[in-house]
Amino acid sequence: MALRVRLVVLAVLGVMALVLGATPASAVPADEPPLLCLVTTSTVAWDGGYQVDVTIKNISSGRITWRGKVAPPTGTITGWGATFNGVGGQHTIDPPAHAPVLGSNAISKFGYTGTGSSVALPTITCKASD
């Protein structure tokens, strides 16, 4: 019972802090860089292969660049909508030559198919553009 009361009190204090404009304890620390992009993926798998579709959206007010990496554990990948470089276990993915920078709220999409029994998802890094 005492634990339940503590949880209710903590929840009420958290709501009061938000209403009063205080920063919640789980807020991003001041030394963390701001989030620049939102990356979403969708996948479809079949016997012996898969497809990954990726959308990168600039959620900052400035211009950004992005770069990706994917490391398929087995098999090969074939991509579109971006520049893929690599052979075997490590591939880099760069924006297409016609759209190297994303403006505020702009979107970039690319995808790839792979062979093998497990889906390889990319890691995307976004940074502010000069």
Side-chain angles (χ1 to χ4, degrees):
M1 181 68 171
L3 178 60
R4 175 178 249 157
V5 170
R6 284 185 200 157
L7 290 176
V8 169
V9 169
L10 289 174
V12 169
L13 289 174
V15 169
M16 287 175 55
L18 288 174
V19 169
L20 296 173
T23 304
S26 63
V28 176
D31 59 345
E32 287 286 322
L35 187 60
L36 300 175
C37 64
L38 178 63
V39 178
T40 57
T41 60
S42 65
T43 61
V44 176
W46 55 84
D47 189 27
Y50 57 91
Q51 178 173 324
V52 177
D53 292 299
V54 180
T55 301
I56 303 167
K57 180 177 183 182
N58 179 354
I59 59 172
S60 75
S61 60
R63 295 165 38 105
I64 66 166
T65 61
W66 62 269
R67 182 165 222 205
K69 292 182 180 180
V70 62
T74 60
T76 60
I77 62 170
T78 303
W80 60 89
T83 303
F84 289 77
N85 290 303
V87 177
Q90 184 71 28
H91 295 265
T92 58
I93 309 165
D94 291 307
H98 68 274
V101 177
L102 290 177
S104 183
N105 290 313
I107 293 174
S108 183
K109 294 183 178 189
F110 70 89
Y112 54 91
T113 57
T115 59
S117 59
S118 60
V119 176
L121 294 175
T123 300
I124 307 294
T125 304
C126 297
K127 67 178 189 173
S129 177
D130 297 332

